[in-house]
């Protein structure tokens, strides 16, 4: 609890271009959370270097991600948005937790198995202990809730196990976090294969709408979206491409899928698709304009980065000091 509010923590990587799916499914819904929770959103650049990065590119993307969050409406005075690498407590707690994590536990992580298959030439120790750093992120802030995708549930479970293990040994040190499965944001699927989630790492650029796509590109991608040959506008699982377009339209206009179906009743896909394009443009255009404006306001962004890093250091150092004391590190002489 901070100021009577429960704590929410989430981390995001600055690799890959964010998609409409990231926005409608997550980011957009986070804005309302800042009233209910004390929110920490970390740009987890330390996690990013578990795979090889171009340094200038990583720095650029991390800053853009930071600005994008602010542009999307996350007020940096109400939400602590900060770079993980600016707060050394993460590395320090990760080391300690490493000493409480078993090789066997980490070997079972499916993301480790997937990533080591994908980067067979660079299976480094950081990739292996990635989930421990993630646990440190969360536990440092005594987070109650962690919004994560299904792919991160195994890491969150490990985090809970580590918290409990540590608490059993040393008394109540860590809050044991819960996954936050939101009042479900829209789940947006690929435009080219609607049985797959829209992903920032999709190799087919037509499968995803990126937040920075220009209006023509958005329109083109919507018009080319894969549908079916039934030709009738219904909202059902048997027509996944159409269902996805209805979901996108609904999420962008604030309508329910049923209202959208009504609106397009008797019309063809040829009318729906450009309307989806327009709806997406009307959501992304203001976001892009705000992003452009903020990108130019270096002083404002820099001061938000600095103030939030300080806040993150302040909050996390309290947990870190407690942990250091518990494991037997000597007290600091002032
Ligand atoms: N591993 C997460 C991902 O790839 C990112 C992440 C790092 C994270 N630390 C976190 C998510 C803490 C939630 C909480 O998506």
């Amino acid at each position: 609890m901070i100021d009577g509010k429960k704590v929410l923590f989430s981390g995001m990587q600055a690799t890959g271009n964010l998609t409409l799916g990231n926005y409608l499914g997550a980011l957009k819904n986070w804005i309302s959370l800042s009233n209910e929770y004390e929110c920490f959103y970390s740009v987890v650049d330390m996690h990013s270097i578990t795979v090889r990065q171009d340094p200038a590119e990583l720095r650029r993307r991390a800053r853009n991600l930071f600005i994008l969050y602010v542009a999307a409406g996350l007020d940096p005075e109400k939400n602590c948005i900060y770079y993980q690498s600016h707060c050394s407590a993460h590395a320090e707690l990760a080391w300690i937790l490493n000493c409480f994590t078993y090789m066997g536990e980490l070997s079972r992580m499916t993301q480790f198995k997937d990533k080591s298959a994908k980067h067979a030439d660079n299976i480094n120790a950081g990739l292996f202990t990635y989930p421990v750093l993630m646990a440190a992120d969360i536990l440092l802030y005594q987070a109650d809730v962690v919004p994560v995708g299904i792919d991160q549930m195994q890491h969150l479970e490990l985090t809970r196990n580590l918290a409990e293990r540590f608490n059993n040994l040393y008394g109540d040190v860590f809050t044991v976090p819960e996954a936050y499965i939101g009042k479900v944001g829209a789940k947006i699927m690929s435009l080219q294969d609607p049985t797959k989630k829209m992903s920032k790492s999709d190799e087919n650029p037509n499968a995803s709408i990126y937040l920075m796509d220009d209006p023509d590109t958005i329109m083109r991608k919507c018009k080319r979206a894969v549908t079916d040959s039934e030709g009738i506008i219904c909202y059902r699982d048997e027509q996944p491409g159409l269902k996805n377009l209805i979901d996108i339209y609904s999420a962008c206009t604030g309508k329910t899928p049923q209202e959208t179906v009504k609106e397009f009743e008797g019309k063809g896909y040829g009318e729906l698709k450009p309307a989806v394009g327009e709806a997406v443009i009307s959501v992304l255009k203001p976001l892009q304009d705000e992003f452009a404006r903020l990108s130019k306001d270096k002083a404002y962004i820099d001061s938000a980065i600095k103030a939030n890093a300080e806040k993150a250091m302040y909050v996390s150092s309290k947990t870190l000091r407690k942990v250091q004391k518990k494991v037997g590190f000597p007290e600091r002489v002032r």
Side-chain angles (χ1 to χ4, degrees), residues 53 89 98 128 144 171 179-180 273 288:
Q53 303 288 343
N98 265 321
F128 190 61
D144 297 282
Y180 179 91
K273 286 179 175 182
Q288 294 173 355

Side-chain angles (χ1 to χ4, degrees), residues 9-13 44 47 130 134 137-138 146-148 152 155:
F9 186 97
S10 195
M12 55 271 172
Q13 297 227 32
V44 292
H47 278 105
Y130 176 116
M134 179 162 159
D137 298 343
I138 297 167
V146 182
V148 277
Q152 295 296 316
H155 292 165

Side-chain angles (χ1 to χ4, degrees), residues 17-196:
N17 290 322
L18 288 186
T19 70
L20 182 67
N22 298 122
Y23 180 68
L24 296 177
L27 193 46
K28 185 165 167 268
N29 308 297
W30 291 358
I31 289 130
S32 57
L33 294 175
S34 66
N35 295 321
E36 200 179 331
Y37 294 96
E38 185 72 26
C39 298
F40 293 85
Y41 297 110
S42 183
V43 178
V44 292
D45 45 2
M46 289 161 68
H47 278 105
S48 296
I49 65 163
T50 54
V51 299
R52 218 43 88 221
Q53 303 288 343
D54 176 71
E57 182 70 2
L58 177 62
R59 205 174 351 260
R60 191 183 65 81
R61 282 179 184 276
R63 187 171 176 97
N64 283 348
L65 186 61
F66 187 102
I67 297 172
L68 190 70
Y69 276 75
V70 180
L74 286 180
D75 179 348
E77 291 193 16
K78 288 203 201 146
N79 301 273
C80 185
I81 311 169
Y82 71 100
Y83 298 121
Q84 185 187 30
S85 64
H86 281 185
C87 183
S88 56
H90 291 251
E92 293 181 72
L93 182 61
W95 172 254
I96 296 173
L97 293 178
N98 265 321
C99 302
F100 292 83
T101 311
Y102 303 112
M103 300 288 285
E105 285 176 302
L106 294 177
S107 314
R108 282 197 292 278
M109 295 291 134
T110 52
Q111 183 175 297
F112 171 68
K113 290 191 236 173
D114 292 349
K115 285 202 181 169
S116 29
K118 214 168 141 192
H119 304 277
D121 54 337
N122 182 20
I123 305 176
N124 61 71
L127 199 61
F128 190 61
T129 61
Y130 176 116
V132 182
L133 179 59
M134 179 162 159
D137 298 343
I138 297 167
L139 298 179
L140 274 174
Y141 299 87
Q142 305 289 355
D144 297 282
V145 293
V146 182
V148 277
I150 191 96
D151 62 316
Q152 295 296 316
M153 283 300 275
Q154 202 184 18
H155 292 165
L156 190 62
E157 207 43 53
L158 176 76
T159 304
R160 291 166 53 84
N161 290 340
L162 289 178
E164 279 164 2
R165 186 172 304 159
F166 202 90
N167 288 350
N168 284 338
L169 285 166
Y170 300 107
D172 272 343
V173 178
F174 295 125
T175 301
V176 181
E178 307 269 346
Y180 179 91
I181 312 292
K183 286 150 220 149
V184 283
K187 187 170 181 204
I188 305 302
M189 312 303 279
S190 155
L191 296 178
Q192 293 298 314
D193 175 2
T195 60
K196 269 187 359 198

